[in-house]
Structures are given as structure tokens and as C-alpha cells.
Short mmCIF file of all heavy atoms in Angstrom, two decimals:
data_model
loop_
_atom_site.label_atom_id
_atom_site.label_comp_id
_atom_site.label_asym_id
_atom_site.label_seq_id
_atom_site.Cartn_x
_atom_site.Cartn_y
_atom_site.Cartn_z
N MET A 26 94.55 134.12 44.56
CA MET A 26 95.00 133.60 45.84
C MET A 26 96.50 133.84 45.96
O MET A 26 97.28 133.41 45.14
CB MET A 26 94.68 132.11 45.91
CG MET A 26 95.11 131.45 47.15
SD MET A 26 94.58 129.74 47.08
CE MET A 26 94.56 129.38 48.75
N SER A 27 96.87 134.56 46.97
CA SER A 27 98.29 134.84 47.16
C SER A 27 98.91 133.80 48.07
O SER A 27 98.28 133.27 48.97
CB SER A 27 98.47 136.24 47.75
OG SER A 27 97.93 136.26 49.03
N GLN A 28 100.16 133.54 47.82
CA GLN A 28 100.88 132.56 48.63
C GLN A 28 102.04 133.28 49.31
O GLN A 28 103.00 133.66 48.66
CB GLN A 28 101.38 131.41 47.78
CG GLN A 28 100.25 130.61 47.18
CD GLN A 28 100.79 129.43 46.39
OE1 GLN A 28 101.98 129.19 46.32
NE2 GLN A 28 99.89 128.71 45.77
N HIS A 29 101.89 133.47 50.60
CA HIS A 29 102.94 134.13 51.38
C HIS A 29 103.63 133.09 52.24
O HIS A 29 102.98 132.29 52.90
CB HIS A 29 102.34 135.21 52.28
CG HIS A 29 101.72 136.34 51.51
ND1 HIS A 29 102.47 137.31 50.90
CD2 HIS A 29 100.43 136.63 51.24
CE1 HIS A 29 101.67 138.16 50.30
NE2 HIS A 29 100.41 137.77 50.49
N ALA A 30 104.91 133.13 52.24
CA ALA A 30 105.68 132.26 53.10
C ALA A 30 105.86 132.94 54.46
O ALA A 30 106.14 134.13 54.53
CB ALA A 30 107.02 131.94 52.48
N VAL A 31 105.68 132.19 55.50
CA VAL A 31 105.87 132.72 56.84
C VAL A 31 107.32 132.48 57.24
O VAL A 31 107.81 131.36 57.20
CB VAL A 31 104.92 132.04 57.84
CG1 VAL A 31 105.17 132.55 59.25
CG2 VAL A 31 103.48 132.26 57.42
N ALA A 32 107.98 133.55 57.60
CA ALA A 32 109.38 133.44 58.00
C ALA A 32 109.47 132.83 59.39
O ALA A 32 108.66 133.14 60.26
CB ALA A 32 110.03 134.82 58.01
N PRO A 33 110.42 131.92 59.60
CA PRO A 33 110.57 131.33 60.93
C PRO A 33 110.99 132.39 61.95
O PRO A 33 111.73 133.31 61.65
CB PRO A 33 111.66 130.27 60.75
CG PRO A 33 112.36 130.63 59.50
CD PRO A 33 111.40 131.42 58.66
N VAL A 34 110.49 132.23 63.14
CA VAL A 34 110.81 133.16 64.22
C VAL A 34 112.17 132.79 64.79
O VAL A 34 112.42 131.63 65.12
CB VAL A 34 109.72 133.09 65.33
CG1 VAL A 34 110.08 134.01 66.47
CG2 VAL A 34 108.36 133.41 64.76
N ALA A 35 113.02 133.78 64.89
CA ALA A 35 114.37 133.53 65.41
C ALA A 35 114.29 133.18 66.89
O ALA A 35 113.59 133.82 67.67
CB ALA A 35 115.24 134.76 65.21
N GLY A 36 115.00 132.15 67.28
CA GLY A 36 115.06 131.77 68.69
C GLY A 36 113.93 130.86 69.13
O GLY A 36 113.83 130.55 70.30
N ALA A 37 113.06 130.42 68.23
CA ALA A 37 111.95 129.53 68.60
C ALA A 37 112.38 128.09 68.32
O ALA A 37 112.20 127.58 67.23
CB ALA A 37 110.70 129.88 67.84
N GLU A 38 112.96 127.47 69.31
CA GLU A 38 113.40 126.09 69.16
C GLU A 38 112.54 125.17 70.01
O GLU A 38 112.03 125.58 71.06
CB GLU A 38 114.86 125.95 69.60
CG GLU A 38 115.83 126.71 68.74
CD GLU A 38 117.25 126.51 69.21
OE1 GLU A 38 117.51 125.53 69.95
OE2 GLU A 38 118.10 127.33 68.86
N LEU A 39 112.37 123.96 69.57
CA LEU A 39 111.65 122.98 70.37
C LEU A 39 112.55 122.51 71.51
O LEU A 39 113.73 122.24 71.31
CB LEU A 39 111.26 121.78 69.51
CG LEU A 39 110.22 122.04 68.43
CD1 LEU A 39 110.03 120.79 67.58
CD2 LEU A 39 108.91 122.46 69.05
N PRO A 40 112.00 122.42 72.69
CA PRO A 40 112.83 121.95 73.81
C PRO A 40 113.14 120.46 73.66
O PRO A 40 112.32 119.69 73.16
CB PRO A 40 111.95 122.20 75.04
CG PRO A 40 110.56 122.22 74.51
CD PRO A 40 110.64 122.74 73.11
N THR A 41 114.31 120.09 74.05
CA THR A 41 114.68 118.67 74.03
C THR A 41 114.65 118.14 75.45
O THR A 41 115.04 118.83 76.40
CB THR A 41 116.09 118.49 73.44
OG1 THR A 41 117.01 119.25 74.19
CG2 THR A 41 116.14 118.93 71.98
N ILE A 42 114.18 116.93 75.58
CA ILE A 42 114.11 116.28 76.88
C ILE A 42 115.14 115.16 76.89
O ILE A 42 115.05 114.23 76.09
CB ILE A 42 112.71 115.71 77.16
CG1 ILE A 42 111.68 116.84 77.10
CG2 ILE A 42 112.68 115.01 78.51
CD1 ILE A 42 110.26 116.36 77.20
N PRO A 43 116.11 115.21 77.78
CA PRO A 43 117.12 114.15 77.83
C PRO A 43 116.49 112.81 78.21
O PRO A 43 115.54 112.76 78.99
CB PRO A 43 118.09 114.61 78.91
CG PRO A 43 117.82 116.05 79.11
CD PRO A 43 116.40 116.28 78.71
N LEU A 44 117.00 111.75 77.64
CA LEU A 44 116.50 110.41 77.91
C LEU A 44 116.62 110.07 79.40
O LEU A 44 115.79 109.37 79.95
CB LEU A 44 117.26 109.38 77.07
CG LEU A 44 116.76 107.95 77.13
CD1 LEU A 44 115.31 107.88 76.68
CD2 LEU A 44 117.62 107.05 76.29
N ARG A 45 117.64 110.62 80.07
CA ARG A 45 117.82 110.40 81.50
C ARG A 45 116.62 110.86 82.31
O ARG A 45 116.26 110.26 83.31
CB ARG A 45 119.03 111.20 81.98
CG ARG A 45 120.19 110.41 82.40
CD ARG A 45 121.29 111.36 82.76
NE ARG A 45 121.51 112.23 81.59
CZ ARG A 45 122.35 113.23 81.56
NH1 ARG A 45 123.06 113.52 82.61
NH2 ARG A 45 122.51 113.96 80.49
N GLU A 46 116.00 111.96 81.89
CA GLU A 46 114.84 112.48 82.61
C GLU A 46 113.55 111.80 82.18
O GLU A 46 112.59 111.77 82.93
CB GLU A 46 114.73 113.98 82.38
CG GLU A 46 115.87 114.77 82.98
CD GLU A 46 115.76 116.25 82.69
OE1 GLU A 46 114.68 116.69 82.26
OE2 GLU A 46 116.75 116.96 82.89
N LEU A 47 113.51 111.27 81.00
CA LEU A 47 112.30 110.63 80.47
C LEU A 47 112.19 109.17 80.89
O LEU A 47 111.08 108.66 81.09
CB LEU A 47 112.31 110.74 78.95
CG LEU A 47 111.07 110.31 78.21
CD1 LEU A 47 109.90 111.18 78.62
CD2 LEU A 47 111.30 110.38 76.72
N ALA A 48 113.29 108.49 81.07
CA ALA A 48 113.30 107.05 81.36
C ALA A 48 112.54 106.67 82.64
O ALA A 48 111.76 105.71 82.61
CB ALA A 48 114.73 106.53 81.41
N PRO A 49 112.71 107.37 83.77
CA PRO A 49 111.96 106.96 84.96
C PRO A 49 110.45 107.08 84.78
O PRO A 49 109.69 106.23 85.25
CB PRO A 49 112.44 107.92 86.05
CG PRO A 49 113.73 108.46 85.57
CD PRO A 49 113.67 108.43 84.09
N TRP A 50 110.00 108.11 84.06
CA TRP A 50 108.56 108.27 83.83
C TRP A 50 108.04 107.19 82.88
O TRP A 50 106.94 106.66 83.07
CB TRP A 50 108.27 109.66 83.26
CG TRP A 50 108.46 110.72 84.28
CD1 TRP A 50 109.52 111.56 84.38
CD2 TRP A 50 107.60 111.01 85.38
NE1 TRP A 50 109.36 112.39 85.47
CE2 TRP A 50 108.19 112.07 86.10
CE3 TRP A 50 106.40 110.50 85.82
CZ2 TRP A 50 107.60 112.61 87.23
CZ3 TRP A 50 105.81 111.05 86.95
CH2 TRP A 50 106.41 112.08 87.64
N ALA A 51 108.81 106.87 81.87
CA ALA A 51 108.41 105.81 80.95
C ALA A 51 108.33 104.47 81.67
O ALA A 51 107.40 103.69 81.45
CB ALA A 51 109.39 105.73 79.78
N LEU A 52 109.28 104.20 82.54
CA LEU A 52 109.26 102.96 83.32
C LEU A 52 108.06 102.92 84.25
O LEU A 52 107.36 101.91 84.34
CB LEU A 52 110.56 102.83 84.12
CG LEU A 52 110.69 101.59 84.99
CD1 LEU A 52 110.73 100.34 84.13
CD2 LEU A 52 111.91 101.69 85.86
N PHE A 53 107.79 104.03 84.94
CA PHE A 53 106.65 104.10 85.86
C PHE A 53 105.33 103.84 85.13
O PHE A 53 104.53 103.01 85.55
CB PHE A 53 106.63 105.46 86.56
CG PHE A 53 105.39 105.69 87.38
CD1 PHE A 53 105.20 105.01 88.56
CD2 PHE A 53 104.42 106.57 86.94
CE1 PHE A 53 104.05 105.21 89.32
CE2 PHE A 53 103.28 106.78 87.68
CZ PHE A 53 103.08 106.10 88.87
N PHE A 54 105.10 104.57 84.04
CA PHE A 54 103.84 104.40 83.33
C PHE A 54 103.75 103.06 82.61
O PHE A 54 102.67 102.51 82.43
CB PHE A 54 103.61 105.57 82.36
CG PHE A 54 103.18 106.82 83.07
CD1 PHE A 54 104.02 107.91 83.12
CD2 PHE A 54 101.96 106.89 83.71
CE1 PHE A 54 103.64 109.07 83.78
CE2 PHE A 54 101.56 108.03 84.38
CZ PHE A 54 102.41 109.13 84.42
N GLY A 55 104.90 102.52 82.20
CA GLY A 55 104.91 101.18 81.61
C GLY A 55 104.50 100.12 82.62
O GLY A 55 103.69 99.24 82.33
N LEU A 56 105.06 100.20 83.83
CA LEU A 56 104.69 99.25 84.89
C LEU A 56 103.24 99.43 85.33
O LEU A 56 102.53 98.45 85.59
CB LEU A 56 105.63 99.39 86.08
CG LEU A 56 107.06 98.93 85.86
CD1 LEU A 56 107.92 99.24 87.08
CD2 LEU A 56 107.10 97.45 85.55
N LEU A 57 102.79 100.67 85.40
CA LEU A 57 101.40 100.93 85.74
C LEU A 57 100.46 100.35 84.67
O LEU A 57 99.44 99.74 85.00
CB LEU A 57 101.17 102.44 85.89
CG LEU A 57 99.81 102.88 86.39
CD1 LEU A 57 99.58 102.37 87.81
CD2 LEU A 57 99.71 104.38 86.34
N GLY A 58 100.83 100.49 83.43
CA GLY A 58 100.03 99.92 82.34
C GLY A 58 100.00 98.40 82.40
O GLY A 58 98.95 97.78 82.16
N LEU A 59 101.13 97.79 82.71
CA LEU A 59 101.16 96.32 82.85
C LEU A 59 100.30 95.86 84.02
O LEU A 59 99.63 94.81 83.93
CB LEU A 59 102.60 95.84 83.03
CG LEU A 59 103.45 95.84 81.77
CD1 LEU A 59 104.89 95.46 82.11
CD2 LEU A 59 102.88 94.91 80.73
N LEU A 60 100.31 96.60 85.10
CA LEU A 60 99.48 96.26 86.25
C LEU A 60 97.99 96.34 85.89
O LEU A 60 97.21 95.44 86.22
CB LEU A 60 99.80 97.18 87.43
CG LEU A 60 99.07 96.90 88.72
CD1 LEU A 60 99.52 95.56 89.30
CD2 LEU A 60 99.32 98.01 89.72
N VAL A 61 97.61 97.39 85.20
CA VAL A 61 96.21 97.53 84.77
C VAL A 61 95.85 96.41 83.81
O VAL A 61 94.78 95.80 83.93
CB VAL A 61 95.98 98.92 84.13
CG1 VAL A 61 94.65 98.98 83.41
CG2 VAL A 61 96.07 100.00 85.18
N LEU A 62 96.73 96.11 82.87
CA LEU A 62 96.47 95.02 81.93
C LEU A 62 96.33 93.69 82.65
O LEU A 62 95.49 92.86 82.31
CB LEU A 62 97.58 94.96 80.89
CG LEU A 62 97.38 93.96 79.77
CD1 LEU A 62 96.14 94.32 78.95
CD2 LEU A 62 98.61 93.92 78.89
N PHE A 63 97.14 93.47 83.68
CA PHE A 63 97.03 92.23 84.46
C PHE A 63 95.66 92.12 85.12
O PHE A 63 95.01 91.09 85.06
CB PHE A 63 98.13 92.16 85.52
CG PHE A 63 97.88 91.08 86.54
CD1 PHE A 63 98.09 89.76 86.21
CD2 PHE A 63 97.43 91.39 87.81
CE1 PHE A 63 97.85 88.76 87.14
CE2 PHE A 63 97.19 90.41 88.74
CZ PHE A 63 97.40 89.09 88.41
N PHE A 64 95.23 93.21 85.77
CA PHE A 64 93.94 93.15 86.46
C PHE A 64 92.79 92.97 85.49
O PHE A 64 91.81 92.30 85.81
CB PHE A 64 93.72 94.39 87.31
CG PHE A 64 94.44 94.33 88.62
CD1 PHE A 64 95.34 95.31 88.98
CD2 PHE A 64 94.21 93.29 89.50
CE1 PHE A 64 96.00 95.25 90.19
CE2 PHE A 64 94.87 93.21 90.72
CZ PHE A 64 95.77 94.21 91.06
N ILE A 65 92.89 93.55 84.32
CA ILE A 65 91.79 93.41 83.35
C ILE A 65 91.83 92.03 82.69
O ILE A 65 90.79 91.42 82.48
CB ILE A 65 91.86 94.51 82.29
CG1 ILE A 65 91.50 95.84 82.93
CG2 ILE A 65 90.92 94.22 81.13
CD1 ILE A 65 91.63 97.02 82.01
N SER A 66 93.00 91.52 82.40
CA SER A 66 93.07 90.31 81.59
C SER A 66 93.21 89.01 82.36
O SER A 66 92.63 88.01 81.97
CB SER A 66 94.23 90.42 80.60
OG SER A 66 95.46 90.47 81.30
N ALA A 67 93.97 89.00 83.44
CA ALA A 67 94.33 87.71 84.03
C ALA A 67 93.85 87.50 85.45
O ALA A 67 93.71 86.36 85.88
CB ALA A 67 95.84 87.55 84.00
N ASP A 68 93.63 88.55 86.20
CA ASP A 68 93.32 88.39 87.62
C ASP A 68 91.94 87.78 87.82
O ASP A 68 90.96 88.25 87.27
CB ASP A 68 93.39 89.73 88.33
CG ASP A 68 93.10 89.58 89.82
OD1 ASP A 68 93.74 88.72 90.45
OD2 ASP A 68 92.24 90.31 90.32
N GLN A 69 91.90 86.71 88.59
CA GLN A 69 90.64 86.06 88.92
C GLN A 69 90.40 86.08 90.42
O GLN A 69 89.55 85.36 90.92
CB GLN A 69 90.63 84.61 88.42
CG GLN A 69 90.69 84.48 86.92
CD GLN A 69 89.39 84.87 86.25
OE1 GLN A 69 88.33 84.81 86.83
NE2 GLN A 69 89.50 85.27 85.00
N GLY A 70 91.17 86.87 91.15
CA GLY A 70 90.99 86.98 92.58
C GLY A 70 91.97 86.17 93.40
O GLY A 70 92.00 86.29 94.62
N ALA A 71 92.80 85.34 92.77
CA ALA A 71 93.72 84.48 93.51
C ALA A 71 94.90 85.26 94.09
O ALA A 71 95.38 84.92 95.16
CB ALA A 71 94.23 83.36 92.62
N VAL A 72 95.38 86.28 93.39
CA VAL A 72 96.55 87.02 93.86
C VAL A 72 96.23 88.46 94.18
O VAL A 72 97.13 89.26 94.38
CB VAL A 72 97.70 86.95 92.82
CG1 VAL A 72 98.20 85.55 92.67
CG2 VAL A 72 97.25 87.53 91.49
N SER A 73 94.97 88.83 94.23
CA SER A 73 94.59 90.20 94.52
C SER A 73 94.76 90.51 95.99
O SER A 73 94.60 89.65 96.85
CB SER A 73 93.13 90.44 94.15
OG SER A 73 92.94 90.27 92.79
N ILE A 74 95.07 91.76 96.29
CA ILE A 74 95.16 92.17 97.69
C ILE A 74 93.79 92.09 98.35
O ILE A 74 93.66 91.51 99.41
CB ILE A 74 95.79 93.57 97.80
CG1 ILE A 74 97.26 93.48 97.41
CG2 ILE A 74 95.65 94.12 99.22
CD1 ILE A 74 97.98 94.79 97.33
N PRO A 75 92.72 92.64 97.72
CA PRO A 75 91.39 92.36 98.29
C PRO A 75 91.02 90.91 97.92
O PRO A 75 91.01 90.56 96.74
CB PRO A 75 90.45 93.34 97.62
CG PRO A 75 91.23 94.08 96.61
CD PRO A 75 92.64 93.63 96.67
N SER A 76 90.79 90.10 98.92
CA SER A 76 90.51 88.69 98.63
C SER A 76 89.16 88.54 97.93
O SER A 76 88.30 89.41 98.01
CB SER A 76 90.51 87.88 99.93
OG SER A 76 89.49 88.36 100.77
N GLY A 77 89.02 87.42 97.26
CA GLY A 77 87.76 87.15 96.57
C GLY A 77 87.77 87.69 95.15
O GLY A 77 88.82 87.88 94.55
N THR A 78 86.60 87.96 94.63
CA THR A 78 86.47 88.36 93.23
C THR A 78 86.09 89.83 93.08
O THR A 78 85.48 90.20 92.09
CB THR A 78 85.43 87.48 92.55
OG1 THR A 78 84.17 87.67 93.22
CG2 THR A 78 85.81 86.03 92.55
N LEU A 79 86.46 90.66 94.02
CA LEU A 79 86.09 92.07 93.99
C LEU A 79 86.63 92.76 92.73
O LEU A 79 85.88 93.41 92.01
CB LEU A 79 86.60 92.78 95.24
CG LEU A 79 86.25 94.25 95.36
CD1 LEU A 79 84.74 94.42 95.49
CD2 LEU A 79 86.95 94.85 96.56
N ILE A 80 87.91 92.63 92.45
CA ILE A 80 88.49 93.29 91.28
C ILE A 80 87.93 92.67 90.01
O ILE A 80 87.65 93.38 89.04
CB ILE A 80 90.03 93.22 91.32
CG1 ILE A 80 90.53 94.10 92.45
CG2 ILE A 80 90.63 93.68 90.00
CD1 ILE A 80 92.01 94.10 92.65
N HIS A 81 87.71 91.37 90.02
CA HIS A 81 87.11 90.71 88.86
C HIS A 81 85.75 91.33 88.53
O HIS A 81 85.43 91.59 87.37
CB HIS A 81 86.96 89.22 89.12
CG HIS A 81 86.21 88.50 88.04
ND1 HIS A 81 86.82 88.08 86.90
CD2 HIS A 81 84.90 88.17 87.93
CE1 HIS A 81 85.91 87.49 86.13
NE2 HIS A 81 84.74 87.54 86.74
N GLU A 82 84.96 91.59 89.52
CA GLU A 82 83.65 92.19 89.29
C GLU A 82 83.75 93.63 88.82
O GLU A 82 82.94 94.09 88.02
CB GLU A 82 82.79 92.10 90.55
CG GLU A 82 82.45 90.68 90.96
CD GLU A 82 81.73 89.91 89.87
OE1 GLU A 82 80.91 90.49 89.14
OE2 GLU A 82 81.98 88.70 89.75
N TRP A 83 84.77 94.37 89.28
CA TRP A 83 84.95 95.75 88.85
C TRP A 83 85.29 95.84 87.36
O TRP A 83 84.86 96.76 86.68
CB TRP A 83 86.05 96.43 89.63
CG TRP A 83 85.67 96.81 91.02
CD1 TRP A 83 84.42 96.86 91.56
CD2 TRP A 83 86.55 97.21 92.07
NE1 TRP A 83 84.48 97.25 92.86
CE2 TRP A 83 85.78 97.47 93.21
CE3 TRP A 83 87.92 97.35 92.14
CZ2 TRP A 83 86.32 97.88 94.41
CZ3 TRP A 83 88.47 97.76 93.34
CH2 TRP A 83 87.68 98.03 94.46
N VAL A 84 86.09 94.91 86.87
CA VAL A 84 86.55 94.98 85.48
C VAL A 84 85.84 93.97 84.59
O VAL A 84 86.25 93.77 83.45
CB VAL A 84 88.08 94.78 85.40
CG1 VAL A 84 88.81 95.89 86.13
CG2 VAL A 84 88.50 93.43 85.90
N HIS A 85 84.76 93.38 85.06
CA HIS A 85 84.08 92.32 84.33
C HIS A 85 83.61 92.76 82.95
O HIS A 85 83.87 92.10 81.95
CB HIS A 85 82.89 91.82 85.16
CG HIS A 85 82.20 90.66 84.54
ND1 HIS A 85 81.02 90.79 83.86
CD2 HIS A 85 82.54 89.36 84.48
CE1 HIS A 85 80.65 89.61 83.42
NE2 HIS A 85 81.55 88.72 83.78
N ASP A 86 82.92 93.88 82.86
CA ASP A 86 82.44 94.34 81.56
C ASP A 86 83.58 94.76 80.64
O ASP A 86 83.51 94.56 79.43
CB ASP A 86 81.45 95.49 81.74
CG ASP A 86 80.17 95.04 82.41
OD1 ASP A 86 79.85 93.84 82.33
OD2 ASP A 86 79.50 95.88 83.03
N GLY A 87 84.63 95.32 81.22
CA GLY A 87 85.80 95.69 80.43
C GLY A 87 86.47 94.47 79.82
O GLY A 87 86.98 94.53 78.70
N ARG A 88 86.47 93.36 80.54
CA ARG A 88 87.04 92.13 79.99
C ARG A 88 86.30 91.70 78.75
O ARG A 88 86.89 91.35 77.73
CB ARG A 88 86.96 91.00 81.01
CG ARG A 88 87.93 91.10 82.12
CD ARG A 88 87.69 89.97 83.08
NE ARG A 88 88.52 90.17 84.23
CZ ARG A 88 89.33 89.23 84.71
NH1 ARG A 88 89.34 88.05 84.19
NH2 ARG A 88 90.08 89.49 85.73
N HIS A 89 84.98 91.69 78.84
CA HIS A 89 84.19 91.27 77.68
C HIS A 89 84.33 92.26 76.53
O HIS A 89 84.37 91.85 75.37
CB HIS A 89 82.71 91.12 78.07
CG HIS A 89 82.47 89.96 78.98
ND1 HIS A 89 82.73 88.66 78.61
CD2 HIS A 89 82.01 89.91 80.25
CE1 HIS A 89 82.42 87.85 79.62
NE2 HIS A 89 81.98 88.59 80.63
N LEU A 90 84.43 93.55 76.83
CA LEU A 90 84.59 94.56 75.80
C LEU A 90 85.91 94.37 75.06
O LEU A 90 85.98 94.54 73.85
CB LEU A 90 84.53 95.96 76.43
CG LEU A 90 84.65 97.13 75.48
CD1 LEU A 90 83.43 97.19 74.57
CD2 LEU A 90 84.80 98.42 76.23
N LEU A 91 86.96 94.00 75.78
CA LEU A 91 88.27 93.79 75.17
C LEU A 91 88.45 92.38 74.60
O LEU A 91 89.49 92.07 74.02
CB LEU A 91 89.38 94.07 76.18
CG LEU A 91 89.46 95.53 76.63
CD1 LEU A 91 90.45 95.66 77.77
CD2 LEU A 91 89.86 96.42 75.47
N GLY A 92 87.46 91.52 74.79
CA GLY A 92 87.53 90.18 74.22
C GLY A 92 88.17 89.13 75.10
O GLY A 92 88.48 88.03 74.64
N TYR A 93 88.40 89.42 76.37
CA TYR A 93 88.96 88.43 77.28
C TYR A 93 87.85 87.56 77.84
O TYR A 93 86.87 88.08 78.36
CB TYR A 93 89.68 89.10 78.47
CG TYR A 93 90.97 89.76 78.11
CD1 TYR A 93 91.04 91.14 78.02
CD2 TYR A 93 92.10 89.02 77.86
CE1 TYR A 93 92.24 91.77 77.68
CE2 TYR A 93 93.30 89.63 77.55
CZ TYR A 93 93.35 91.01 77.46
OH TYR A 93 94.51 91.62 77.14
N PRO A 94 87.99 86.24 77.76
CA PRO A 94 86.98 85.40 78.40
C PRO A 94 87.22 85.35 79.90
O PRO A 94 88.35 85.40 80.36
CB PRO A 94 87.25 84.03 77.76
CG PRO A 94 88.68 84.05 77.40
CD PRO A 94 88.99 85.48 77.03
N CYS A 95 86.16 85.29 80.66
CA CYS A 95 86.34 85.22 82.11
C CYS A 95 85.33 84.28 82.76
O CYS A 95 85.25 84.25 83.97
CB CYS A 95 86.27 86.61 82.74
SG CYS A 95 84.72 87.43 82.56
N HIS A 96 84.61 83.53 82.00
CA HIS A 96 83.66 82.56 82.57
C HIS A 96 84.04 81.18 82.09
O HIS A 96 84.43 80.96 81.00
CB HIS A 96 82.24 82.84 82.13
CG HIS A 96 81.74 84.16 82.59
ND1 HIS A 96 81.23 84.36 83.84
CD2 HIS A 96 81.70 85.36 81.96
CE1 HIS A 96 80.85 85.62 83.95
NE2 HIS A 96 81.15 86.24 82.84
#
């Protein structure tokens, strides 16, 4: 079994993403994740835009799968 070392390719650098450009996307997806977590874990229809228990019924099985009580 021969062992050959692969020489690095000149000019092949990983691109860097400045934190300035990454921060708005991280904030957006973080807030979106918190909103989804709220609807799955805490919303019982009292503060939902669609009145009643519509969202509760949509995420009902997901609540039980994640271990959140809802009854």
C-alpha cells in the first residue's frame, strides 16, 4: 500500500464571511425559531392571530412528540 501525500492547490482558500453580513441572517432565523418554538410549546390560542385553537390543533401531535403537555 503506497502512501502519497496530496499537495495543496495554490490559491484554494476558504471564503470568509464577515460577521456584519452574517448577523442579520442569524437574528432573522433565531427569531423565526423562537416564534416556531412558541407556537409549538406555549400557544393555546389566546394570543394567536387566527382566533380559537386552530394553531393548537395544527401542532398538537408535535407537542406530544416533543414532550410538551397540552391537555
Side-chain angles (χ1 to χ4, degrees):
M26 179 177 203
S27 65
Q28 295 182 3
H29 296 283
V31 177
V34 178
E38 295 181 18
L39 292 175
T41 57
I42 301 173
L44 186 59
R45 248 177 305 177
E46 294 178 14
L47 188 62
W50 289 103
L52 180 65
F53 172 72
F54 284 112
L56 290 175
L57 187 64
L59 285 175
L60 183 67
V61 167
L62 185 63
F63 167 75
F64 280 123
I65 290 176
S66 64
D68 181 51
Q69 295 288 335
V72 294
S73 297
I74 291 174
S76 62
T78 60
L79 182 65
I80 292 178
H81 173 83
E82 295 302 324
W83 285 346
V84 297
H85 185 258
D86 293 336
R88 286 177 187 232
H89 291 298
L90 181 67
L91 295 172
Y93 289 105
C95 63
H96 297 277

